[in-house]
Structures are given as structure tokens and as C-alpha cells.
Amino acid sequence: MDVAHIPGPALSVLPPLAMGLAAALALSGRLTVAASWRGFQALCGLALVAAALALLAGPLRLQGLPGLRPTVLGLVLALLVQGLGTVIAGFSARYLEGEAGQRRYVAALGGVLAAVHLLLMADHWLVLIAAWAAVGAALQRLLCFYPDRPFALLAAHKKRIADRVADGLLLLAAGLAWREVGSGSLSALWTHVAQQGLSTPLQWAAVALVLAVVLRTALLPVHGWLIQVMEAPTPVSALLHAGVVNLGGFVLIRFAPLLDAAAPARWLLLAFGLATAVLAGLVMLTRISIKVRLAWSTVAQMGFMLLECAVGLYTLAALHLIGHSLYKAHAFLSASGVVRDTRRQALHAPAAPTSLSLLMAPVLGIGTVLVVLAAVGGPAWPLWWSALLGLAWAPMLWLPAAPAAVGARARALLWGLLMVGGLALAARLMHALPLGLHDAPHALAGPVALLGMALLYLGLATLQWRPQALARARRWSYAGFYVDEVYTRLALRLWPAPWTPEARRNAQAGELSVPVA
């Protein structure tokens, strides 16, 4: 098939249209549950083919759509999202077999995928805000699929509050930028910033955008709903952790021209991202439940991804986004196998690494990254950039403390070095791809981020080396440092809602018993 003869607008609009049609068919009630699933999976396949053809056609052939302007990264992520959505749809059909409300589930899943496609192509403030709000609205239906699970209802309520505040911040940012630029077009905003720099209103717009992304991406202190949403069906967790929650990273990469010139917004993002990565990374080690640990891992990864955007490593953030999406989709969809493997490792594997490996892992990790980058060549990276990567991947080089043959330890070390080297090579090759991304490493923010990651590694290593010496700290870490409790109480005080099944039934009964005047 010659993609050059396919109308560009038809290719780019087909995936959201297909998912919207699937949602409409499910809501109509004219199809049986089985037919709804078959139709949805067929339309998913059609959308997947359209997304692949759109990527092959290239973004230059996809102009002329009002409010939409696909980028190379947007097309890559659209293909990734649709591929994951197709897999999750097939998994959901088997997972929910015999459950009530499957048509509602199909409609909500189609709505989420359609809105995500629109967000990935948005070139106008109103399209971006509407698409992101639609993602949240459709996702609420999936999170509350089991209405008798109180923590799912509480999580959905807390997410709803964060979403509404984020919508307000996005509208504020759009209003400030629109008034300054004279247009709601994002392309016009980039041109204005390149030619005239950032005025005070645009600085405030960047700050409002960063705060909105923090709320949407479940960073501390509003991260609790992402942990409690484990009550939702497993495929919903996979969709949320592998796709929806990563949208904040894409939006920041999209707004890189604005973020690069807005110092207050950059430092605000650095503070939230670094605090989230450090605290969530410490909490993750103390949790026992596999799904809860995966959820805390997502919070930490989101903090690290936004940290990469704050220091100007947009290509690395894009690679992180893609890798995290694939990993979390596999982890949640194979949760039962993960639990079995983890229990087997707990029975047969040592619990702690050696003290020597804890000390040497950062040195070996940073050294491996530097060697790979020097061997591959290309533009020179700042030293803190390489050190940040080596420090983040250092735990791969920890060696078990239990007695083992020298050959076994050597093989484990070699395998760890190969993984670190492979990741460094992937990061370099990612920069060679024509994604249209331009990194802007910040000379001061980078070393600050490196210092924060060094403190995180020190905490992780200490927990591994002397876990009993930090008993009080472990208790605080296990409780998530009580950050979510503060947000939960504040949320329920400012916006009370019946989040237990009994309270909801009582509220509904009270509404029905009110006499009509």
C-alpha cells in the first residue's frame, strides 16, 4: 500500500474515530456483550493499522486539521497506546467474563483511548484541555467499575478533585497564553516564545501548566488515588499505569519551548519531581503487596520522568515514557506470575546485597555509561547527565550476600553490566532517531537533580545494608510518610462525598425521599 496516496487527515483522525464509534456502539445496547467485545477488538485493529500508516506517512503529510498537528513523538505514542489498548481489550474480555456492566466497561475503554489520541495530536489549548478532561471522565467509569469497593470510590473521588483543580490551572494557563500571543494555537505559542521570549504572563502560564501536570500525573502530595485504585480491575490498572498517567510527561515534552524559558516553572517541576522520586522510591522498598509495590513504583517513575523534563533531558524522558509503558503493561497483565515468581525468589534468593556491591555499584554504573557513550560517539553529554543515568541504574549491579560460587557472582555482575550498557546504548540511539526533540540540559538544575538522586541511592543502600538500624524510618516509609492521609482529610473536608457503599445507598435513599414541591 502506498501511504503517500492516503489522505493525511483521514489517517490521523481514524484512530480516535474508531474508538469513539466502539464506545457509541457499546452504549447503544443494540449489541450483545460478546458482539460488543468482538466489534471493539475489530475497531482496535483498524485503529492500530491507521496509527501505523500515519507514522509511516510522516507528520508533514498530516497538516490542515483544525486544532490538531501530529508530531513524530505523538505518532509513535499513538501507535504504542493503540497497541497496548488492543492487548488490554483482549485481556479484559477474558478477565471480565460473566461480570455485569461489560458494555459500560467497553464504552469507557473506548472513550479513554479516543481522548488519548486527540490529546497526542492537540495543537490548540482548547483541544488539549478538552481531551485531557475527557480522559479523566471516561477513566472514572473504569475506576468505579466495582461500586461496592470503598477504596476504589475514595480513589476516584480524590482523583476527581485533582482533575478539576488541574482543569482550572490549564484554563488559567490557556487564558494567559492566549491573551499574550493572540491565539490559542500551540504552534503560534512556540513561534512567539522563540521570537519575543517569555513575558510575565507567560511565566505564570508555565507555572500553572506545571502544577496541572503534577496533579494529573499523581505526584506527591496527591498520589494516593493511584495507590488505592488497585481495587479496580487489573486491566484498568494496566491501562492507567502504562498509558494514562504517562500523559503528563508527553505534555511537558510538547511544551518544552515554554518550559526551557520559564525558570520558576522549571525549578518548581524539579522540586516536585525530585521529592516524589526520592520519597516514593523509599516507600516502594517497604511494601509487601506486589500490586501496591508496582503502584508506588509508578509514582517514583513519574517523579523521575518529570525530573528529566525539569533538567532538559526531553529525549531521555520520551525513552523513559515508552519503556515504562511497556514494562508496566506487562507487569500488571502478568500480575499472577509476578506474585508467584516473587514468592519463589523470597524462598530461594538472598534478602540483601553485599556491602561491597552497594559501594561499588554507583562507580561501575557511571563508568559503564561513560564507556558506552565514548565508544558510540556523538555529541558530548554533560558529566552530570551520565552520572545521573549510572546512579539510577546502579541497583542492577548489586550482588547477593549469600554464599555463592565466584563464577555465579561473576556472571551476575556481567549480566548487570550488560543491562546498564544496553540501557545507555538505547539512550544514545534514541537521540539519533528523528523525533524532533531538542534537549536543553540545564547547567544548575542538573547537578541539583544528581545530588537528590545520590541521596535516594544512599537511602536505598542503607535500607539494604542496615534495615534494623532504620526501624523508625521504615515505619514512616511504610506509611508513605503520611502524606496521603493529610490530602485525604483535606479533600473530604473541602469536598465531602459518600465514598462507602453504605453511605452512597443512604445518600441515594435520602435524595429519593425528599418531597417534590
Side-chain angles (χ1 to χ4, degrees), residues 61-100:
R61 300 182 182 274
L62 303 178
Q63 309 303 324
L65 298 170
L68 302 177
R69 186 184 179 89
T71 62
V72 177
L73 178 61
L75 293 173
V76 170
L77 294 182
L79 180 61
L80 173 65
V81 166
Q82 191 56 53
L84 292 177
T86 303
V87 173
I88 290 172
F91 185 92
S92 299
R94 299 187 300 272
Y95 183 90
L96 298 174
E97 187 174 357
E99 295 274 4

mmCIF file of all heavy atoms in Angstrom, residues 61-100:
data_model
loop_
_atom_site.group_PDB
_atom_site.id
_atom_site.type_symbol
_atom_site.label_atom_id
_atom_site.label_comp_id
_atom_site.label_asym_id
_atom_site.label_seq_id
_atom_site.Cartn_x
_atom_site.Cartn_y
_atom_site.Cartn_z
ATOM 1 N N ARG A 61 2.677 15.141 6.245
ATOM 2 C CA ARG A 61 1.517 14.887 5.404
ATOM 3 C C ARG A 61 0.219 14.999 6.191
ATOM 4 O O ARG A 61 -0.842 14.757 5.643
ATOM 5 C CB ARG A 61 1.596 13.487 4.783
ATOM 6 C CG ARG A 61 2.821 13.269 3.911
ATOM 7 C CD ARG A 61 2.787 11.881 3.300
ATOM 8 N NE ARG A 61 3.968 11.626 2.509
ATOM 9 C CZ ARG A 61 4.104 11.967 1.234
ATOM 10 N NH1 ARG A 61 3.134 12.607 0.613
ATOM 11 N NH2 ARG A 61 5.221 11.691 0.582
ATOM 12 N N LEU A 62 0.313 15.340 7.466
ATOM 13 C CA LEU A 62 -0.869 15.321 8.312
ATOM 14 C C LEU A 62 -1.238 16.717 8.803
ATOM 15 O O LEU A 62 -1.676 16.911 9.916
ATOM 16 C CB LEU A 62 -0.636 14.393 9.511
ATOM 17 C CG LEU A 62 -0.267 12.964 9.159
ATOM 18 C CD1 LEU A 62 -0.011 12.164 10.421
ATOM 19 C CD2 LEU A 62 -1.363 12.312 8.344
ATOM 20 N N GLN A 63 -1.003 17.745 7.966
ATOM 21 C CA GLN A 63 -1.351 19.097 8.344
ATOM 22 C C GLN A 63 -2.756 19.427 7.846
ATOM 23 O O GLN A 63 -3.372 18.694 7.083
ATOM 24 C CB GLN A 63 -0.338 20.084 7.750
ATOM 25 C CG GLN A 63 1.115 19.707 8.039
ATOM 26 C CD GLN A 63 1.396 19.577 9.521
ATOM 27 O OE1 GLN A 63 0.850 20.317 10.324
ATOM 28 N NE2 GLN A 63 2.240 18.636 9.890
ATOM 29 N N GLY A 64 -3.267 20.578 8.255
ATOM 30 C CA GLY A 64 -4.550 21.045 7.751
ATOM 31 C C GLY A 64 -5.729 20.674 8.609
ATOM 32 O O GLY A 64 -6.863 20.945 8.231
ATOM 33 N N LEU A 65 -5.515 20.054 9.789
ATOM 34 C CA LEU A 65 -6.608 19.706 10.678
ATOM 35 C C LEU A 65 -6.750 20.799 11.727
ATOM 36 O O LEU A 65 -5.778 21.151 12.393
ATOM 37 C CB LEU A 65 -6.338 18.364 11.357
ATOM 38 C CG LEU A 65 -6.221 17.167 10.422
ATOM 39 C CD1 LEU A 65 -5.710 15.955 11.181
ATOM 40 C CD2 LEU A 65 -7.554 16.855 9.793
ATOM 41 N N PRO A 66 -7.927 21.378 11.868
ATOM 42 C CA PRO A 66 -8.085 22.467 12.843
ATOM 43 C C PRO A 66 -7.821 21.994 14.271
ATOM 44 O O PRO A 66 -8.451 21.065 14.760
ATOM 45 C CB PRO A 66 -9.544 22.891 12.658
ATOM 46 C CG PRO A 66 -10.219 21.713 12.016
ATOM 47 C CD PRO A 66 -9.183 21.045 11.171
ATOM 48 N N GLY A 67 -6.862 22.644 14.929
ATOM 49 C CA GLY A 67 -6.549 22.328 16.310
ATOM 50 C C GLY A 67 -5.717 21.088 16.504
ATOM 51 O O GLY A 67 -5.405 20.729 17.644
ATOM 52 N N LEU A 68 -5.328 20.402 15.409
ATOM 53 C CA LEU A 68 -4.554 19.168 15.505
ATOM 54 C C LEU A 68 -3.285 19.304 14.671
ATOM 55 O O LEU A 68 -3.320 19.819 13.547
ATOM 56 C CB LEU A 68 -5.358 17.961 15.014
ATOM 57 C CG LEU A 68 -6.691 17.686 15.722
ATOM 58 C CD1 LEU A 68 -7.387 16.507 15.074
ATOM 59 C CD2 LEU A 68 -6.479 17.431 17.198
ATOM 60 N N ARG A 69 -2.186 18.842 15.223
ATOM 61 C CA ARG A 69 -0.913 18.870 14.492
ATOM 62 C C ARG A 69 -0.051 17.718 15.002
ATOM 63 O O ARG A 69 0.705 17.879 15.969
ATOM 64 C CB ARG A 69 -0.200 20.206 14.687
ATOM 65 C CG ARG A 69 1.071 20.375 13.854
ATOM 66 C CD ARG A 69 1.751 21.693 14.196
ATOM 67 N NE ARG A 69 2.979 21.881 13.449
ATOM 68 C CZ ARG A 69 3.062 22.464 12.262
ATOM 69 N NH1 ARG A 69 1.964 22.925 11.692
ATOM 70 N NH2 ARG A 69 4.217 22.610 11.652
ATOM 71 N N PRO A 70 -0.145 16.559 14.383
ATOM 72 C CA PRO A 70 0.629 15.414 14.865
ATOM 73 C C PRO A 70 2.132 15.664 14.772
ATOM 74 O O PRO A 70 2.615 16.256 13.808
ATOM 75 C CB PRO A 70 0.200 14.278 13.937
ATOM 76 C CG PRO A 70 -1.090 14.727 13.338
ATOM 77 C CD PRO A 70 -1.000 16.208 13.243
ATOM 78 N N THR A 71 2.844 15.239 15.786
ATOM 79 C CA THR A 71 4.306 15.253 15.780
ATOM 80 C C THR A 71 4.808 13.815 15.662
ATOM 81 O O THR A 71 4.034 12.861 15.814
ATOM 82 C CB THR A 71 4.841 15.890 17.071
ATOM 83 O OG1 THR A 71 4.410 15.086 18.192
ATOM 84 C CG2 THR A 71 4.312 17.306 17.236
ATOM 85 N N VAL A 72 6.089 13.671 15.400
ATOM 86 C CA VAL A 72 6.646 12.319 15.284
ATOM 87 C C VAL A 72 6.488 11.570 16.597
ATOM 88 O O VAL A 72 6.059 10.409 16.627
ATOM 89 C CB VAL A 72 8.129 12.382 14.864
ATOM 90 C CG1 VAL A 72 8.726 10.978 14.812
ATOM 91 C CG2 VAL A 72 8.275 13.059 13.517
ATOM 92 N N LEU A 73 6.817 12.225 17.715
ATOM 93 C CA LEU A 73 6.666 11.575 19.015
ATOM 94 C C LEU A 73 5.196 11.263 19.290
ATOM 95 O O LEU A 73 4.873 10.182 19.807
ATOM 96 C CB LEU A 73 7.219 12.466 20.126
ATOM 97 C CG LEU A 73 7.083 11.917 21.544
ATOM 98 C CD1 LEU A 73 7.840 10.598 21.689
ATOM 99 C CD2 LEU A 73 7.570 12.925 22.577
ATOM 100 N N GLY A 74 4.299 12.175 18.923
ATOM 101 C CA GLY A 74 2.873 11.920 19.119
ATOM 102 C C GLY A 74 2.397 10.717 18.332
ATOM 103 O O GLY A 74 1.602 9.907 18.825
ATOM 104 N N LEU A 75 2.893 10.555 17.100
ATOM 105 C CA LEU A 75 2.503 9.406 16.286
ATOM 106 C C LEU A 75 3.074 8.105 16.853
ATOM 107 O O LEU A 75 2.407 7.070 16.837
ATOM 108 C CB LEU A 75 2.976 9.616 14.846
ATOM 109 C CG LEU A 75 2.297 10.743 14.063
ATOM 110 C CD1 LEU A 75 2.977 10.942 12.719
ATOM 111 C CD2 LEU A 75 0.815 10.473 13.878
ATOM 112 N N VAL A 76 4.300 8.165 17.340
ATOM 113 C CA VAL A 76 4.897 6.971 17.967
ATOM 114 C C VAL A 76 4.086 6.560 19.189
ATOM 115 O O VAL A 76 3.759 5.372 19.382
ATOM 116 C CB VAL A 76 6.364 7.244 18.346
ATOM 117 C CG1 VAL A 76 6.917 6.109 19.205
ATOM 118 C CG2 VAL A 76 7.219 7.410 17.096
ATOM 119 N N LEU A 77 3.728 7.528 20.024
ATOM 120 C CA LEU A 77 2.967 7.210 21.227
ATOM 121 C C LEU A 77 1.540 6.780 20.883
ATOM 122 O O LEU A 77 0.958 5.952 21.590
ATOM 123 C CB LEU A 77 2.941 8.426 22.164
ATOM 124 C CG LEU A 77 4.299 8.816 22.752
ATOM 125 C CD1 LEU A 77 4.139 9.994 23.709
ATOM 126 C CD2 LEU A 77 4.947 7.643 23.470
ATOM 127 N N ALA A 78 0.970 7.342 19.814
ATOM 128 C CA ALA A 78 -0.364 6.908 19.391
ATOM 129 C C ALA A 78 -0.339 5.430 18.998
ATOM 130 O O ALA A 78 -1.253 4.663 19.343
ATOM 131 C CB ALA A 78 -0.852 7.765 18.226
ATOM 132 N N LEU A 79 0.702 5.030 18.275
ATOM 133 C CA LEU A 79 0.838 3.615 17.906
ATOM 134 C C LEU A 79 1.030 2.752 19.149
ATOM 135 O O LEU A 79 0.442 1.670 19.274
ATOM 136 C CB LEU A 79 2.016 3.452 16.951
ATOM 137 C CG LEU A 79 2.309 2.040 16.452
ATOM 138 C CD1 LEU A 79 1.125 1.479 15.675
ATOM 139 C CD2 LEU A 79 3.565 2.032 15.589
ATOM 140 N N LEU A 80 1.839 3.235 20.100
ATOM 141 C CA LEU A 80 2.071 2.494 21.340
ATOM 142 C C LEU A 80 0.786 2.363 22.147
ATOM 143 O O LEU A 80 0.440 1.267 22.619
ATOM 144 C CB LEU A 80 3.145 3.199 22.163
ATOM 145 C CG LEU A 80 3.408 2.657 23.567
ATOM 146 C CD1 LEU A 80 3.971 1.245 23.495
ATOM 147 C CD2 LEU A 80 4.357 3.568 24.329
ATOM 148 N N VAL A 81 0.065 3.466 22.305
ATOM 149 C CA VAL A 81 -1.172 3.456 23.091
ATOM 150 C C VAL A 81 -2.213 2.534 22.464
ATOM 151 O O VAL A 81 -2.878 1.758 23.159
ATOM 152 C CB VAL A 81 -1.726 4.884 23.227
ATOM 153 C CG1 VAL A 81 -3.156 4.871 23.740
ATOM 154 C CG2 VAL A 81 -0.847 5.698 24.164
ATOM 155 N N GLN A 82 -2.344 2.608 21.143
ATOM 156 C CA GLN A 82 -3.336 1.764 20.493
ATOM 157 C C GLN A 82 -2.942 0.297 20.569
ATOM 158 O O GLN A 82 -3.809 -0.579 20.730
ATOM 159 C CB GLN A 82 -3.512 2.194 19.041
ATOM 160 C CG GLN A 82 -4.709 1.551 18.357
ATOM 161 C CD GLN A 82 -6.002 1.810 19.110
ATOM 162 O OE1 GLN A 82 -6.339 2.948 19.402
ATOM 163 N NE2 GLN A 82 -6.739 0.761 19.432
ATOM 164 N N GLY A 83 -1.651 0.015 20.469
ATOM 165 C CA GLY A 83 -1.217 -1.367 20.625
ATOM 166 C C GLY A 83 -1.500 -1.902 22.014
ATOM 167 O O GLY A 83 -2.021 -3.014 22.176
ATOM 168 N N LEU A 84 -1.183 -1.105 23.035
ATOM 169 C CA LEU A 84 -1.490 -1.520 24.398
ATOM 170 C C LEU A 84 -2.991 -1.630 24.619
ATOM 171 O O LEU A 84 -3.461 -2.554 25.298
ATOM 172 C CB LEU A 84 -0.884 -0.519 25.388
ATOM 173 C CG LEU A 84 0.648 -0.473 25.462
ATOM 174 C CD1 LEU A 84 1.102 0.619 26.424
ATOM 175 C CD2 LEU A 84 1.211 -1.811 25.889
ATOM 176 N N GLY A 85 -3.742 -0.687 24.041
ATOM 177 C CA GLY A 85 -5.190 -0.743 24.184
ATOM 178 C C GLY A 85 -5.788 -1.986 23.560
ATOM 179 O O GLY A 85 -6.737 -2.579 24.101
ATOM 180 N N THR A 86 -5.242 -2.416 22.430
ATOM 181 C CA THR A 86 -5.729 -3.633 21.781
ATOM 182 C C THR A 86 -5.454 -4.860 22.640
ATOM 183 O O THR A 86 -6.314 -5.734 22.805
ATOM 184 C CB THR A 86 -5.056 -3.781 20.407
ATOM 185 O OG1 THR A 86 -5.306 -2.609 19.620
ATOM 186 C CG2 THR A 86 -5.590 -5.003 19.673
ATOM 187 N N VAL A 87 -4.244 -4.921 23.215
ATOM 188 C CA VAL A 87 -3.906 -6.044 24.093
ATOM 189 C C VAL A 87 -4.778 -6.029 25.347
ATOM 190 O O VAL A 87 -5.291 -7.074 25.784
ATOM 191 C CB VAL A 87 -2.415 -5.993 24.465
ATOM 192 C CG1 VAL A 87 -2.077 -7.049 25.510
ATOM 193 C CG2 VAL A 87 -1.552 -6.188 23.223
ATOM 194 N N ILE A 88 -4.963 -4.853 25.938
ATOM 195 C CA ILE A 88 -5.775 -4.737 27.152
ATOM 196 C C ILE A 88 -7.229 -5.095 26.870
ATOM 197 O O ILE A 88 -7.903 -5.705 27.713
ATOM 198 C CB ILE A 88 -5.653 -3.313 27.727
ATOM 199 C CG1 ILE A 88 -4.242 -3.117 28.298
ATOM 200 C CG2 ILE A 88 -6.702 -3.042 28.799
ATOM 201 C CD1 ILE A 88 -3.947 -1.699 28.721
ATOM 202 N N ALA A 89 -7.724 -4.768 25.681
ATOM 203 C CA ALA A 89 -9.102 -5.131 25.327
ATOM 204 C C ALA A 89 -9.270 -6.644 25.278
ATOM 205 O O ALA A 89 -10.255 -7.191 25.800
ATOM 206 C CB ALA A 89 -9.471 -4.501 23.979
ATOM 207 N N GLY A 90 -8.324 -7.328 24.633
ATOM 208 C CA GLY A 90 -8.411 -8.784 24.592
ATOM 209 C C GLY A 90 -8.305 -9.400 25.977
ATOM 210 O O GLY A 90 -9.025 -10.358 26.302
ATOM 211 N N PHE A 91 -7.425 -8.857 26.820
ATOM 212 C CA PHE A 91 -7.289 -9.354 28.185
ATOM 213 C C PHE A 91 -8.563 -9.092 28.982
ATOM 214 O O PHE A 91 -9.024 -9.949 29.755
ATOM 215 C CB PHE A 91 -6.095 -8.671 28.852
ATOM 216 C CG PHE A 91 -5.776 -9.185 30.229
ATOM 217 C CD1 PHE A 91 -4.864 -10.216 30.404
ATOM 218 C CD2 PHE A 91 -6.382 -8.647 31.351
ATOM 219 C CE1 PHE A 91 -4.559 -10.690 31.670
ATOM 220 C CE2 PHE A 91 -6.091 -9.111 32.620
ATOM 221 C CZ PHE A 91 -5.181 -10.142 32.783
ATOM 222 N N SER A 92 -9.156 -7.908 28.797
ATOM 223 C CA SER A 92 -10.359 -7.544 29.547
ATOM 224 C C SER A 92 -11.532 -8.447 29.212
ATOM 225 O O SER A 92 -12.334 -8.800 30.089
ATOM 226 C CB SER A 92 -10.730 -6.085 29.258
ATOM 227 O OG SER A 92 -9.711 -5.206 29.660
ATOM 228 N N ALA A 93 -11.658 -8.823 27.928
ATOM 229 C CA ALA A 93 -12.768 -9.675 27.529
ATOM 230 C C ALA A 93 -12.740 -11.006 28.273
ATOM 231 O O ALA A 93 -13.790 -11.544 28.652
ATOM 232 C CB ALA A 93 -12.725 -9.904 26.015
ATOM 233 N N ARG A 94 -11.545 -11.536 28.502
ATOM 234 C CA ARG A 94 -11.417 -12.784 29.255
ATOM 235 C C ARG A 94 -11.519 -12.534 30.762
ATOM 236 O O ARG A 94 -12.143 -13.322 31.479
ATOM 237 C CB ARG A 94 -10.086 -13.468 28.923
ATOM 238 C CG ARG A 94 -9.923 -13.847 27.463
ATOM 239 C CD ARG A 94 -8.671 -14.666 27.240
ATOM 240 N NE ARG A 94 -7.460 -13.943 27.626
ATOM 241 C CZ ARG A 94 -6.786 -13.138 26.821
ATOM 242 N NH1 ARG A 94 -7.214 -12.926 25.578
ATOM 243 N NH2 ARG A 94 -5.688 -12.534 27.241
ATOM 244 N N TYR A 95 -10.940 -11.462 31.217
ATOM 245 C CA TYR A 95 -10.896 -11.161 32.654
ATOM 246 C C TYR A 95 -12.295 -10.895 33.215
ATOM 247 O O TYR A 95 -12.608 -11.302 34.341
ATOM 248 C CB TYR A 95 -9.995 -9.948 32.872
ATOM 249 C CG TYR A 95 -9.788 -9.559 34.312
ATOM 250 C CD1 TYR A 95 -8.724 -10.093 35.041
ATOM 251 C CD2 TYR A 95 -10.628 -8.652 34.952
ATOM 252 C CE1 TYR A 95 -8.516 -9.733 36.368
ATOM 253 C CE2 TYR A 95 -10.436 -8.292 36.269
ATOM 254 C CZ TYR A 95 -9.373 -8.835 36.976
ATOM 255 O OH TYR A 95 -9.175 -8.478 38.284
ATOM 256 N N LEU A 96 -13.140 -10.219 32.444
ATOM 257 C CA LEU A 96 -14.465 -9.817 32.912
ATOM 258 C C LEU A 96 -15.571 -10.771 32.486
ATOM 259 O O LEU A 96 -16.748 -10.433 32.614
ATOM 260 C CB LEU A 96 -14.789 -8.408 32.409
ATOM 261 C CG LEU A 96 -13.868 -7.292 32.890
ATOM 262 C CD1 LEU A 96 -14.219 -5.979 32.211
ATOM 263 C CD2 LEU A 96 -13.957 -7.141 34.405
ATOM 264 N N GLU A 97 -15.216 -11.930 31.981
ATOM 265 C CA GLU A 97 -16.231 -12.873 31.513
ATOM 266 C C GLU A 97 -17.199 -13.219 32.652
ATOM 267 O O GLU A 97 -16.789 -13.632 33.741
ATOM 268 C CB GLU A 97 -15.560 -14.145 30.989
ATOM 269 C CG GLU A 97 -16.530 -15.108 30.328
ATOM 270 C CD GLU A 97 -15.809 -16.279 29.696
ATOM 271 O OE1 GLU A 97 -14.560 -16.303 29.731
ATOM 272 O OE2 GLU A 97 -16.500 -17.172 29.168
ATOM 273 N N GLY A 98 -18.491 -13.022 32.384
ATOM 274 C CA GLY A 98 -19.516 -13.292 33.381
ATOM 275 C C GLY A 98 -19.841 -12.110 34.281
ATOM 276 O O GLY A 98 -20.798 -12.169 35.062
ATOM 277 N N GLU A 99 -19.070 -11.014 34.221
ATOM 278 C CA GLU A 99 -19.319 -9.836 35.054
ATOM 279 C C GLU A 99 -20.461 -9.000 34.481
ATOM 280 O O GLU A 99 -20.682 -8.980 33.266
ATOM 281 C CB GLU A 99 -18.053 -8.971 35.141
ATOM 282 C CG GLU A 99 -16.883 -9.631 35.833
ATOM 283 C CD GLU A 99 -16.940 -9.448 37.342
ATOM 284 O OE1 GLU A 99 -17.935 -8.872 37.834
ATOM 285 O OE2 GLU A 99 -15.990 -9.884 38.023
ATOM 286 N N ALA A 100 -21.133 -8.299 35.362
ATOM 287 C CA ALA A 100 -22.165 -7.359 34.917
ATOM 288 C C ALA A 100 -21.503 -6.043 34.511
ATOM 289 O O ALA A 100 -20.415 -5.710 34.972
ATOM 290 C CB ALA A 100 -23.173 -7.119 36.038
#
